[in-house]
Amino acid sequence: MAGRQISVESQRYSFTGLEGGRNMPCPTCTYTFLIQSLHDTTPLLCTLHQPNSTPLHIPKPYRIALLAHPYAPIGGNSRDPVLALITSTLLEKGYIVVLFDFRGAGGSGGSTSWSGVGEREDFVSVLGFCLVYLSTVCLLLGRGDGAGKGDGDGDGKEQEERGVSDVLLAGYSYGSLIVQSLAPFERILERFYTAEEGSGEGRIMTLARGLAAEHTHTSPRQSPSTYTDINIPAFRPSYLLISPLLPPISTLLMLQLSRTFGSNNESALRLNRSLAVFGGRDTFTSSARLVEWATRLKRAEGSQFSFAEIGDAGHFWREDGVGKELKSVVASWVDSPYR
């Protein structure tokens, strides 16, 4: 069952569930498939959106985003209207966007855990797919060595950054907890660098390379025994947290993973380009506590963390006008230069 492609369609991606997102279609090519979680082989339903209806016309530099949804027991799944807003915004900026259902949500198998460990491995499983998929797209479309065809112009900095592929890790509400609980990005990457054929990581790698070849209408090279056998680009992670959760609610939702929160997890937000966006009327965590937490991260020495508070917004972004503000904040941040 894992890896079986369910459907492929070209469409104009749009959403209607959040004010500020109506009548803003973006042409995409959409693929739906299953991945087995590295935690226990639970099947996870995934959806990949490419930013153009013609896969070969994916804009450079190649960028990919993985979005995590709110808590499944209260109705969270990958078709959440807030995630639809973020998806549309990122597609307009040229990102490949991947969404998935955690265990126990939507079209995925299994049930929600109390510890959060299974959900973290669900995210890592799909993130591994994203990394291998993007690296294979770069390879097959001529950007595996950082130099695309016809890219001879530009200054030295632009030439240097052509070899870097941006990977955006995003979470909304409960999804933000999972993103904050991840191991360092380099350690996750290493799991797939060293994947052996037949392992869980190896099967995900094979699926990602095959789908990348199919989506770009090219022929994949002979499957390598390890990830390091292919020429991969440098990855530059960034983080986006929408309506992040703080204790005590975060502790209640993820009893085991909450023990791992601390300086190691916050360091990823400080050391990499990161944005937190939350509402001034959030009912899960007070805006005062969120502002205090975000200000501390932003003021840390060398921090790349930034935040935005949207005063009239609640946790679920259902108030009039807040969708447009959220979209504007995220779009401006995506366009801002790296430090």
Side-chain angles (χ1 to χ4, degrees):
M1 187 175 184
R4 178 173 60 88
Q5 188 160 321
I6 299 173
S7 65
V8 179
E9 59 180 324
S10 295
Q11 63 181 26
R12 292 184 65 79
Y13 186 82
S14 60
F15 50 89
T16 58
L18 190 67
E19 196 280 334
R22 298 182 180 90
N23 302 318
M24 300 178 67
C26 182
T28 72
C29 195
T30 300
Y31 304 88
T32 306
F33 53 94
L34 295 173
I35 283 179
Q36 284 186 342
S37 173
L38 293 171
H39 182 62
D40 56 6
T41 71
T42 294
L44 307 174
L45 182 65
C46 308
T47 304
L48 183 150
H49 300 282
Q50 290 183 338
N52 284 289
S53 56
T54 304
L56 286 173
H57 294 163
I58 299 173
K60 296 179 181 179
Y62 302 125
R63 303 189 286 181
I64 198 164
L66 174 58
L67 279 55
H69 64 73
Y71 199 46
I74 60 173
N77 59 60
S78 61
R79 285 152 295 288
D80 182 274
V82 173
L83 292 186
L85 174 67
I86 301 303
T87 297
S88 179
T89 304
L90 295 174
L91 287 170
E92 292 169 5
K93 299 299 181 181
Y95 275 84
I96 300 168
V97 181
V98 177
L99 303 99
F100 73 102
D101 290 326
F102 282 118
R103 60 189 54 237
S108 292
S111 58
T112 303
S113 74
W114 285 103
S115 69
V117 173
E119 285 80 3
R120 181 172 60 185
E121 282 294 277
D122 294 348
F123 190 95
V124 169
S125 303
V126 186
L127 176 57
F129 170 90
C130 292
L131 297 174
V132 180
Y133 181 91
L134 185 62
S135 67
T136 307
V137 167
C138 292
L139 178 69
L140 297 177
L141 296 185
R143 233 288 312 272
D145 58 359
K149 296 179 181 179
D151 291 340
D153 298 329
D155 60 28
K157 183 177 180 181
E158 290 174 343
Q159 292 281 1
E160 179 181 356
E161 291 192 352
R162 284 199 182 99
V164 178
S165 294
D166 293 325
V167 180
L168 174 59
L169 287 64
Y172 166 39
S173 188
Y174 176 79
S176 73
L177 287 180
I178 298 299
V179 170
Q180 292 179 80
S181 73
L182 295 173
F185 183 81
E186 295 76 13
R187 280 170 49 189
I188 296 173
L189 189 59
E190 185 179 4
R191 290 180 63 172
F192 292 89
Y193 268 99
T194 58
E196 295 294 334
E197 187 173 1
S199 66
E201 292 87 350
R203 289 191 295 270
I204 290 173
M205 185 182 80
T206 299
L207 170 66
R209 295 185 71 245
L211 290 183
E214 180 180 338
H215 298 170
T216 55
H217 305 299
T218 56
S219 298
R221 298 182 178 181
Q222 184 177 358
S223 178
S225 58
T226 64
Y227 190 32
T228 51
D229 290 336
I230 64 174
N231 185 21
I232 66 168
F235 292 112
R236 179 168 54 187
S238 57
Y239 298 85
L240 173 62
L241 309 178
I242 307 295
S243 298
L245 299 172
L246 300 179
I249 187 67
S250 60
T251 304
L252 293 174
L253 291 179
M254 294 174 30
L255 294 175
Q256 184 169 342
L257 289 188
S258 62
R259 301 170 189 162
T260 69
F261 281 19
S263 59
N264 290 337
N265 302 89
E266 290 185 349
S267 66
L269 302 179
R270 296 194 308 268
L271 299 176
N272 299 284
R273 188 167 178 255
S274 304
L275 172 68
V277 190
F278 48 86
R281 298 181 178 180
D282 195 306
T283 54
F284 285 80
T285 304
S286 71
S287 62
R289 293 195 62 226
L290 285 166
V291 169
E292 180 183 7
W293 166 78
T295 300
R296 177 174 55 81
L297 287 180
K298 183 177 181 179
R299 290 179 177 175
E301 183 178 358
S303 177
Q304 298 189 55
F305 179 86
S306 60
F307 70 93
E309 179 185 13
I310 298 178
D312 293 333
H315 189 81
F316 297 107
W317 302 87
R318 293 169 179 166
E319 297 76 12
D320 289 343
V322 299
K324 290 181 180 179
E325 292 187 67
L326 176 59
K327 180 181 180 68
S328 176
V329 167
V330 173
S332 296
W333 175 71
V334 168
D335 286 338
S336 64
Y338 282 80
R339 299 177 189 176

